[in-house]
Amino acid sequence: MTGALAPAKPLTALDRCDRCGAQAYIRATLQVGAELLFCAHHGRQHVAVLRDKGAEIQDESARLSETPATAMADER
């Protein structure tokens, strides 16, 4: 085993925060292989401690500020 993690799959609308059930934008993969999913709010609360404990963090919270592809031209 090399210690390298497999590439993380993108989070979808089906992935839910383990704290509140909102859409998850942050995945924390623990050293033992378990995953924790967080919304952006709860992710901000827990990511620093999880990272310090060796968790691999996948943060897709920047998607919250993206303009949807279906937006009208005047909404972009």
Side-chain angles (χ1 to χ4, degrees):
M1 183 168 177
T2 65
L5 294 174
K9 60 184 186 253
L11 293 164
T12 70
L14 297 176
D15 294 309
R16 309 313 285 180
C17 177
D18 290 329
R19 293 283 300 173
C20 69
Q23 184 173 345
Y25 288 94
I26 298 171
R27 174 185 284 126
T29 304
L30 307 177
Q31 289 180 332
V32 296
E35 291 183 344
L36 296 172
L37 300 176
F38 295 107
C39 63
H41 167 77
H42 286 115
R44 284 190 296 272
Q45 289 181 334
H46 301 289
V47 161
V49 172
L50 288 166
R51 187 176 282 129
D52 289 346
K53 293 183 183 263
E56 182 75 23
I57 305 298
Q58 176 186 352
D59 186 349
E60 297 182 10
S61 60
R63 292 180 18 215
L64 289 166
S65 59
E66 292 177 355
T67 303
T70 59
M72 303 286 284
D74 61 342
E75 294 176 325
R76 294 179 187 198

